[in-house]
Amino acid sequence: MKASTADQTRRAGRALCSAVMLFFSTAFLLLALKDYAWQGFALAVAVPAMIWLGVSLLPHLFPADRLLLSLANFLCALGILLLYDTNPDLAYHQAMYYGVGLVAMLACIYAVRLLRQWRMAAALLIPFSLALLALPLLFGSEINGAKNWIYIGSVSFQPSEFVKLSLIVIVSRYMSRRRFFPWFIFAVGCLGLLMLQKDLGTALLYYAVTLLLYFASSGNWLLTLLGLSGGAGAAVLGYRMFAHVKKRVAIWLNPWADYDRAGYQIVQGLMAIASGGLFGVGLGLGSPTTIPIYHTDFIFAVICEQFGWIFGLCVLAMYVAIVWRGATTAMAARTGFHGLMCMGATLMLGLQTFVIIGGVLKLIPLTGVTMPFVSYGGSSLVSSMCLIGLIQGVASLNEEHLQEDARLAEYGGEIG
Amino acid sequence: MPGEIYSVLSTGMRYWFALLGVLIVWRSFHWLRRDRKETHRRLKRLPDAGNIGVFRVLAGGPQLAEGEELPVPREGVLGSVRTCDIALPVSEVRKRHLDFFYVDGQGLHVQPRRGCACSVDGVELTHRSGRQSPLLTHGSILQAGDALLRLYLFEGLEVPRSARLMSVELPDPPSAGELAAPQNGNVQTPNGNAAPGSLPYWAYPVPPQGGEQR
Amino acid sequence: MKRQRMKFKLLALLIFSLFLLLALYGGYSVITYGNRWFSSSRNPRVRAQKENVTAGNILDRNGVLLATTNEEGERIYPADETTRKAMVHLIGDSQGQVSNSVESFQTSYLYGFQTSFPEQLAALIRGDRRRGDDLTLTVCAPLCVEAQQAFDRYEHTMGKRGACVVMNWKTGELLAEISLPEFDPMAITGAVKQDEGQPFWNRATQSVYPPGSTFKVVTALAALSSIEDAEEQWIDCTEAVLDFGGGQLISDYGGEHHGVVHLREAFIHSCNKMFATLAVNAGQENMLRAAAAFGFNDNFLFRDLVVENSSFPEKADSRYTLAASGFGQSSVTATPMHMCMIAAAVANRGVMMEPRLLRSVVSPGGTGRLSYTENIYRTVMTETLASKLKDYMRQVVAEGTGRRADVSTMYICGKTGTADSTSKGEPITYGWFIGFNAQEDVPVALCVVVEDLDEGTAGGNTAAFIARDVFAWCGRNTELIIPQ
């Protein structure tokens, strides 16, 4: 019976992997036919090969979770596809970042497996991360009203994406040990630095994940609700204090009032989504480049325009599947610390996706976060891969424990 | 390729892409569901997965019978509420009384919450007791509120090198032959009173070879 | 740990519900607002498509060609000048000066965005240039011309601004919609753009006016449904004015006295004091409920049209404002389109139909993409109440203030209105007539608004004449407006 379930898993994984590979080979082929560019044909072969390597080969060599790998690879490749459609140079950069991301993901998996206690690591991470987060304030450049980028040579780098990881690790470690101050001080420090950099979207994410992890570890409804109202109060305060927050809320409520300047982004995004209809206008057709910031924040609008609303819902469902997988892994974790860490990574991915798609659909005001895996951006892609790596690390530990338990059971003479 | 032909081709392909997208999503959820069933099956086969041993109740209360066995997970909370990992509905036990976690190679750490009284093998522990507080190993006795529990670890777990015998008189001393002092890492297990074959796997004697080290 | 696991499950459910919210909200927005967003003039995709696709034709219900694309790819309006000017606010113009006209709002049909894949393939194989769909509207072009010319026939409405809407009260088909001042879409000059009368503005659907005494239809419904024995109520309308506090007095038009009146007589002779009293007796809540039943404060999201919302105040500031809202003043506002729908609702036994404009949409290959379907917008009142109101409205035309709208061969029912307001600080009076023909074989309802009435004139001797001409034309040319 065991053999057949393993077989089944392998077969299901193969079906999924083949579907993904087929999708991208046909998609890149279609784009290549548009103007007979050799790069298109090359990508039509290269991308499915990369996917095959990533999904079928990798799990043989490293302890990784196939489903998460398949979904993450699909989303990354989707990002590369849309970038190739709109701006091919960015596509090549993204492919490079994807390679870096894979390596980073493996590093995270091993970090989770090897560092069991994280005692030293957590203590070191606190000052290191705070320093990293403070860098843009000192050397950074201002983009779109937020000062959260720094340039190393010609590569831009967003520290807040990486400090995300240390936030999750530090918060879950100290919460699981029931030591209040270390994580609290760290979280407050991060939030403060982010507010100074005016990166309010990331600050919101950090705050939400910390609060929810606190809720999970302590189960204290009262304090959680208190924290929630504190956050709401801070949001109102931020609205009163920052002029550009006021502007964002105003164009969220009625972007058509100022559709030439302030509301331009949302209006163009909405029109793109409406133009897509159910099945989209077709890959390579339509005008995705008229959507502002189409390569980062509004990539979802590009998806809906080119592939349609049904496909957009499918993308949403894929994120739901990732969250589901992360949550089940967290629930199966053996120690509180690993569970919190895994859940923290899942929450981070899920909430980030919700925030950006909500902004594009005009459900909530637009913030500066990107869509995990799909958006263009080295820091964003690498940190999302690292989050997936954390989840897979915990999953591999669970698997080990489970095999250990099976061994113990055999030991006792009763084989299940 | 001329624009019109491409646009017709692309318009036709959109149904293909939508189909593939739906297929991928459907297979993913199928996979998730299957894994869930697999986990359920495994848990049924290994009901003690994730546990490191049991607490046998030596002295309990009206709602906690003597001799009852409470499974001990690797990490958790002990308290009187049902949602605790070890539920002790006994007087003097707070809703969430103490936290415990097992460290391989050491034993079961116990961390009482504020204002909760407990003792390990007779030694009082308070909220402030730090890392030097005594650990629970196989055979150790934990007193929490009015309850008295004895820890029995599972076979195959790393056994602490310096296991200690309890030094305090128990109200109900275990009958001879049920408990033997651990020597040099050789652990013997007590015999259960139930019919053989229905005992949990840890009640069987240790095979001489194979060892307990991991 | 168990607790933590349970919390994880909760958190996962939270995330799932957030995503569900996204999916539902997104789906709802796209379905409800999708066409509006797409047809917005700011959409660059439409401009891009215009280069590759020949726009389809727009015809009136009898086949009169109203808009087409010539060989050079330009959009032209081939009807004669009078017709062009009469239809311009409905059809629109090639520059997009008239917002939400058929040319822009129906872009997705006209520019071939709805062509299915097999059709595109067929067109490609045939080698044709891509073409959009042809639209046949429900409107009747000669009727629009008649309505517009009626404005110029009478001394007190000649050259005035205003609007007129004509509907089929059984099916909801829009038969005519004009707005004055108008312009020629084939001759948009600088002078037209700078005309201070704003000829590009479609007053029929986008302008809101105080409805004046035509609102008494709503007040009558409020009274009949909330006040016991409303018809037995009477006041003695011999005093010149009534005081409801607030320092303002209520009088009737021209200081008329009506003597002792019951609800029926007050409606027929349009007695403000009676309706003010009724409004106060019914109370703000009942008035609001009756107005909401008729569609005030609704967010109109019609499939074929964009209509500005009408409003009735949620709270009454004072007794005086409540009293004044009883005869359609204070802050009550409505579009001529909505008032026409109200008249149609009374005619149609209390059922308000959604006004629709598309009679059929045909693809370039000849297949029908859409044909006319009715849609009930609201059920406003019971049949008994509707027939009572119909009786009142008949008497208005038979012997009351609406006498001048009567047509001998038809059964006209209606209500006149004269509303005071201020525009740019100056007082201005609007003349209204809403009404319908109760005959089943010529089921038309209309609304006429005339802006800036001369001193001494009222709705009953301005808008009513135009209404009469429109009804008479409908009676004479029934075959042009009703399918036989």
Side-chain angles (χ1 to χ4, degrees), chain A residues 314-364:
Chain A
C314 289
V315 170
L316 271 181
M318 285 183 213
Y319 281 105
V320 168
I322 294 181
V323 168
W324 183 327
R325 187 59 143 198
T328 42
T329 311
M331 288 198 281
R334 292 305 164 90
T335 61
F337 164 55
H338 287 115
L340 279 175
M341 185 166 70
C342 184
M343 198 66 199
T346 315
L347 284 175
M348 190 66 89
L349 281 173
L351 285 176
Q352 188 171 340
T353 313
F354 171 74
V355 165
I356 184 57
I357 298 188
V360 170
L361 289 179
K362 206 172 84 70
L363 181 62
I364 55 179

Side-chain angles (χ1 to χ4, degrees), chain A residues 1-2 5 8-9 12-13 15-16 19-20 22-23 26-27 30-31 33-36 66-67 70-71 74 117 119 176-179 218 276 279-285 306-307 310-311 314-315 317-318 320-321 324-325 328 334-337 399 401-402 404-409 411-414 416, chain B residues 1-3 6-11 13-18 20-25 27-36 38-39 41-43 45-46 48-51 74-75 77 96 99 101 103-104 111 113 131 154-157 197-202 204 206-207 209-214:
Chain A
M1 198 162 62
K2 273 190 204 152
T5 39
Q8 267 189 1
T9 316
L16 193 62
V20 173
L22 194 61
F23 182 91
T26 47
L30 181 65
L31 279 182
L33 286 175
K34 193 174 185 188
D35 44 11
Y36 299 121
R66 288 195 121 97
L67 178 63
S70 311
L71 292 172
F74 179 87
Q117 286 273 34
R119 207 185 311 153
S176 60
R177 292 267 181 273
R178 305 205 170 284
R179 290 180 56 192
S218 73
F279 289 101
V281 300
L283 186 60
L285 303 175
Q306 304 265 288
F307 290 105
I310 293 184
F311 193 80
C314 289
V315 170
M318 285 183 213
V320 168
W324 183 327
R325 187 59 143 198
T328 42
R334 292 305 164 90
T335 61
F337 164 55
E399 190 60 36
H401 281 298
L402 215 55
E404 152 99 3
D405 287 332
R407 190 182 60 82
L408 287 182
Y411 214 22
E414 277 219 282
Chain B
M1 185 177 275
Y6 180 79
S7 95
V8 171
L9 183 63
S10 183
T11 318
M13 291 286 277
R14 1 172 244 190
Y15 303 106
W16 165 250
F17 292 133
L20 277 182
V22 171
L23 184 72
I24 291 174
V25 166
R27 294 305 306 184
S28 310
F29 278 96
H30 180 79
W31 192 336
L32 284 169
R33 237 173 320 171
R34 210 168 15 82
D35 276 353
R36 195 158 71 136
E38 172 75 24
T39 330
R41 236 181 296 140
R42 267 170 161 172
L43 279 180
R45 256 188 290 144
L46 304 172
D48 284 312
N51 294 340
R74 198 170 269 271
E75 190 177 311
V77 174
R96 293 186 185 100
D99 300 290
F101 55 96
V103 178
D104 298 318
Q111 172 96 12
R113 300 237 181 157
R131 304 220 186 101
F154 286 158
E155 287 294 341
L157 289 172
S198 64
L199 284 172
Y201 58 74
W202 55 264
Y204 285 101
V206 177
Q209 72 278 28
E212 301 82 16
Q213 316 306 354
R214 259 206 291 169

Side-chain angles (χ1 to χ4, degrees), chain B residues 7-147:
Chain B
S7 95
V8 171
L9 183 63
S10 183
T11 318
M13 291 286 277
R14 1 172 244 190
Y15 303 106
W16 165 250
F17 292 133
L19 179 74
L20 277 182
V22 171
L23 184 72
I24 291 174
V25 166
W26 181 57
R27 294 305 306 184
S28 310
F29 278 96
H30 180 79
W31 192 336
L32 284 169
R33 237 173 320 171
R34 210 168 15 82
D35 276 353
R36 195 158 71 136
K37 271 191 244 157
E38 172 75 24
T39 330
H40 279 320
R41 236 181 296 140
R42 267 170 161 172
L43 279 180
K44 262 195 284 182
R45 256 188 290 144
L46 304 172
D48 284 312
N51 294 340
I52 50 147
V54 295
F55 268 130
R56 184 176 271 196
V57 178
L58 299 175
Q63 286 167 316
L64 190 65
E66 203 183 297
E68 198 169 314
E69 270 146 17
L70 308 167
V72 180
R74 198 170 269 271
E75 190 177 311
V77 174
L78 181 147
S80 56
V81 192
R82 212 166 17 103
T83 58
C84 291
D85 302 282
I86 299 182
L88 292 183
V90 169
S91 54
E92 293 301 312
V93 172
R94 294 276 178 91
K95 276 206 201 142
R96 293 186 185 100
H97 200 83
L98 52 85
D99 300 290
F100 59 88
F101 55 96
Y102 182 79
V103 178
D104 298 318
Q106 294 179 18
L108 191 71
H109 287 256
V110 162
Q111 172 96 12
R113 300 237 181 157
R114 226 179 272 274
C116 298
C118 81
S119 73
V120 172
D121 290 330
V123 178
E124 276 271 325
L125 284 181
T126 64
H127 176 70
R128 292 177 191 288
S129 309
R131 304 220 186 101
Q132 305 310 317
S133 54
L135 304 176
L136 281 149
T137 62
H138 181 77
S140 300
I141 301 219
L142 172 72
Q143 172 257 330
D146 282 348

